[in-house]
Amino acid sequence: MDTNTTASSFRDATDADVDALVALVESAYRGDSSRAGWTTEAHLLEGQRTDPEGVLDVIKSPDAQVLIVEQAGRIVACCQLEHRGDHAYFGMFAVSPTVQGGGLGRTVLEEAERRARADWGVTEMHMTVIVQREDLIAWYERRGYRRTGRMTPFPYGDERFGVPQRDDLRFELLVKPIG
């Protein structure tokens, strides 16, 4: 097992984790700090990726959970799982740029799939990824996700999701059987 996952512990997020989760998600996707890792979207979007209200809404939802990973008392990774009938939705996935590339993301994804099966009995995991993120889509494909060709528009004009730096952003649905 690699060093990024050996001293890690998983737990469900609480209200007290909101600020740390927002900071983690922002550091993994936006601004200069995100450029230290490979998950940055800073070339596609400026502004925020999430906000405390949005994170708290997910934590409080009876059909969702936010899974976090701690190392040495610091939150270094997270993801959202949401029960949507016959499938689970995977989102808000972030790994601190300082620990990316060592297998922690793969470990989080596997744990999320395991929990979705065990907790909800679902047989598929769904997620949406910005189509311009070919490197990220390829990473998910190597883990069994398939592109569906089903697109949804980026929420242009809603700065809660960032300030787009191009006018062709959209999301593609990726699906993986997990049953």
Side-chain angles (χ1 to χ4, degrees), residues 4 33 36-37 74 76 95-100:
N4 282 346
S33 64
R74 184 174 73 96
V76 295
V95 176
S96 171
T98 61
V99 298
Q100 287 179 17

Side-chain angles (χ1 to χ4, degrees), residues 128 150-154 169-173:
T128 56
R150 291 175 41 199
M151 304 292 174
T152 54
F154 186 85
L169 298 179
R170 56 194 170 133
F171 296 99
E172 182 172 2
L173 176 67

Side-chain angles (χ1 to χ4, degrees):
M1 183 175 252
D2 73 62
T3 57
N4 282 346
T5 57
T6 54
S8 301
S9 62
F10 288 91
R11 69 174 173 84
D12 290 333
T14 68
D15 299 9
D17 297 315
V18 168
D19 291 339
L21 287 167
V22 170
L24 171 64
V25 171
E26 296 301 312
S27 75
Y29 292 97
R30 299 287 197 274
D32 288 336
S33 64
S34 71
R35 296 180 197 279
W38 70 274
T39 60
T40 185
E41 295 172 344
H43 61 293
L44 299 173
L45 295 150
E46 292 181 353
Q48 71 179 32
R49 181 125 191 307
T50 192
D51 58 37
E53 297 78 19
V55 173
L56 187 60
D57 286 348
V58 176
I59 290 172
K60 295 272 191 203
S61 171
D63 294 320
Q65 58 186 257
V66 176
L67 177 63
I68 65 173
V69 178
E70 288 183 311
Q71 291 178 352
R74 184 174 73 96
I75 297 174
V76 295
C78 69
C79 71
Q80 163 194 357
L81 286 172
E82 187 176 327
H83 187 202
R84 295 185 178 177
D86 64 348
H87 69 275
Y89 178 80
F90 179 81
M92 202 171 67
F93 184 31
V95 176
S96 171
T98 61
V99 298
Q100 287 179 17
L104 182 57
R106 180 176 51 249
T107 300
V108 172
L109 183 61
E110 290 168 354
E111 177 64 9
E113 292 167 355
R114 187 196 68 74
R115 284 186 182 216
R117 276 190 310 271
D119 295 352
W120 299 320
V122 298
T123 58
E124 277 188 344
M125 185 76 84
H126 291 195
M127 71 176 72
T128 56
V129 180
I130 295 173
V131 297
Q132 286 80 7
R133 295 296 319 277
E134 291 293 335
D135 53 345
L136 185 57
I137 291 171
W139 187 86
Y140 285 122
E141 287 179 314
R142 290 191 299 275
R143 278 138 197 89
Y145 287 81
R146 66 175 172 76
R147 299 180 81 157
T148 64
R150 291 175 41 199
M151 304 292 174
T152 54
F154 186 85
Y156 284 92
D158 188 342
E159 291 190 8
R160 291 178 303 158
F161 301 100
V163 179
Q165 300 304 295
R166 50 192 292 175
D167 63 5
D168 62 344
L169 298 179
R170 56 194 170 133
F171 296 99
E172 182 172 2
L173 176 67
L174 305 182
V175 176
K176 178 181 178 180
I178 61 169

